[in-house]
């Protein structure tokens, strides 16, 4: 076993099924064990509902793969139960107007947790580098307004346990010239009102925005609102499990967090760290 990462859990991971990650579920679990984690959450992307997989290749697992994904997760949870707690999760896109279809997926399987993430504004995947051209000739603050409005609506659905990468709209470095903090605060207030947690997601470090999701300011405001936090590497390669764990721990402790939100069968348990 290598030295233990600073954060003992990692709840945001992907695997080969989504098409833009590499590695099997088992390889992610083995990496987590090797790094000394106590819990590993498997949380691949929900199948696409409102856009064509042909026009959006390598974005998410197919609907046919969903039951196989859950079956494999449950099998590995049992296989490694004496070495690490494996939590069976899903990154569930919020798509306005498709709440019933999302609910069918959320309610149809024995998830430990479901991440509420906004990737799409309409048919535009704002997190896809292949679609960055959609920013052209758009008002940046206008896009931010759409995005954070979608976060509020996601929080209100009751479908999710926590909000993923709450400010992922900054991924490609497009930042409004005017202050976006009222939009961020409104999103945080919705998360608080509806009893959700949020994540500190390390993946932004490697994106053009060059900082974790969320920003330091949002993290501080989330603590002010006393919103529970969890941690996710958003690993798309087994080696990335627990990435920037020491930095994440430092950031969280500096703003006053002493506990991490963990989940089992849709119930939240706060774990000291």
């Amino acid at each position: 076993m290598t030295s233990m990462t600073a954060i003992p859990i990692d709840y945001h991971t992907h695997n080969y099924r989504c098409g833009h990650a590499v590695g099997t579920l088992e390889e992610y679990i083995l990496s987590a064990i090797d790094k000394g984690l106590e819990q590993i959450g498997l949380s691949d992307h929900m199948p696409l509902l409102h856009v064509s997989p042909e026009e959006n290749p390598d974005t998410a697992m197919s609907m046919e793969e969903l039951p196989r994904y859950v079956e494999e997760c449950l099998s590995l949870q049992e296989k490694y139960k004496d070495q690490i707690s494996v939590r069976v999760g899903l990154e569930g896109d919020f798509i306005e107007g498709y709440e019933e279809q999302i609910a069918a997926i959320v309610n149809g399987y024995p998830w430990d947790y479901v991440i509420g993430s906004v990737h799409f504004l309409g048919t535009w995947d704002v997190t896809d580098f292949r679609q960055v051209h959609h920013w052209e000739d758009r008002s940046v603050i206008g896009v931010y307004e759409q995005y954070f409005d979608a976060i509020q609506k996601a929080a209100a659905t009751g479908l999710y346990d926590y909000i993923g990468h709450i400010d992922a709209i900054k991924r490609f470095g497009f930042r409004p010239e005017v202050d976006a903090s009222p939009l961020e605060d409104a999103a945080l207030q919705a998360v608080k009102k509806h009893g959700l947690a949020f994540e500190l997601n390390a993946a932004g470090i490697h994106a053009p925005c060059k900082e974790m999701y969320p920003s330091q300011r949002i993290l501080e405001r989330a603590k002010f609102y006393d919103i529970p936090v969890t941690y996710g590497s958003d690993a798309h390669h087994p080696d990335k499990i627990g990435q920037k764990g020491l930095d994440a721990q430092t950031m969280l402790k500096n703003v006053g967090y002493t506990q991490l939100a963990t989940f089992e069968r849709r119930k939240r348990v706060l774990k000291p760290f």
Side-chain angles (χ1 to χ4, degrees):
M1 182 184 291
T2 58
S3 60
M4 182 171 175
T5 57
I7 295 259
I9 68 170
D10 186 346
Y11 266 58
H12 195 145
T13 64
H14 296 283
N15 69 95
Y16 75 90
R17 278 185 174 87
C18 70
H20 60 277
V22 299
T24 63
L25 291 169
E26 190 160 25
E27 286 171 330
Y28 285 83
I29 293 170
L30 290 171
S31 177
I33 292 170
D34 184 58
K35 293 178 179 180
L37 268 62
E38 297 171 20
Q39 295 182 23
I40 178 68
L42 307 174
S43 61
D44 210 15
H45 289 284
M46 180 185 83
L48 297 173
L49 297 176
H50 74 305
V51 293
S52 159
E54 289 73 33
E55 294 179 3
N56 295 264
D58 303 327
T59 300
M61 75 175 105
S62 68
M63 195 64 78
E64 293 74 26
E65 275 296 312
L66 183 59
R68 298 185 198 124
Y69 164 72
V70 176
E71 184 178 1
E72 185 179 358
C73 287
L74 292 169
S75 173
L76 292 168
Q77 184 181 58
E78 176 65 21
K79 179 176 179 178
Y80 289 100
K81 65 182 181 182
D82 295 330
Q83 297 177 65
I84 192 170
S85 292
V86 175
R87 301 296 157 86
V88 181
L90 181 75
E91 185 171 19
D93 276 85
F94 170 73
I95 304 139
E96 188 172 3
Y98 286 78
E99 290 86 352
E100 284 189 19
Q101 294 94 322
I102 299 167
I105 292 172
V106 169
N107 297 325
Y109 296 92
W111 308 112
D112 286 311
Y113 65 101
V114 179
I115 308 172
S117 293
V118 174
H119 297 101
F120 286 91
L121 296 178
T123 58
W124 172 22
D125 183 348
V126 298
T127 66
D128 187 346
F129 68 92
R130 298 170 298 187
Q131 300 185 36
V132 175
H133 62 278
H134 286 297
W135 282 97
E136 294 172 10
D137 301 321
R138 289 186 192 242
S139 157
V140 175
I141 191 65
V143 174
Y144 271 58
E145 287 169 353
Q146 275 187 278
Y147 177 84
F148 284 108
D149 179 63
I151 294 287
Q152 290 186 60
K153 288 172 177 171
T157 62
L159 294 170
Y160 307 111
D161 298 294
Y162 69 85
I163 296 295
H165 44 58
I166 196 168
D167 61 347
I169 194 64
K170 72 186 180 189
R171 178 176 186 179
F172 296 110
F174 292 90
R175 297 181 185 267
E177 294 180 3
V178 299
D179 183 13
S181 59
L183 305 176
E184 299 164 352
D185 265 28
L188 287 172
Q189 289 168 22
V191 172
K192 174 67 174 179
K193 175 183 176 182
H194 297 289
L196 278 69
F198 76 106
E199 70 173 359
L200 180 59
N201 180 311
I205 290 284
H206 303 297
C209 64
K210 292 184 170 35
E211 67 176 14
M212 292 194 195
Y213 311 115
S215 66
Q216 180 72 23
R217 196 206 80 83
I218 295 177
L219 198 60
E220 290 170 359
R221 294 297 288 168
K223 184 65 180 76
F224 173 79
Y225 291 125
D226 197 28
I227 301 171
V229 67
T230 193
Y231 160 81
S233 65
D234 211 338
H236 284 66
H237 188 290
D239 290 351
K240 296 292 187 181
I241 289 290
Q243 66 173 326
K244 301 294 180 180
L246 186 58
D247 292 348
Q249 176 180 264
T250 301
M251 286 178 68
L252 291 172
K253 292 201 166 179
N254 282 348
V255 300
Y257 279 105
T258 59
Q259 296 177 307
L260 292 167
T262 67
F263 300 88
E264 188 169 13
R265 300 189 180 187
R266 310 299 303 277
K267 301 293 184 186
R268 185 171 69 217
V269 176
L270 296 178
K271 175 185 175 60
F273 74 102

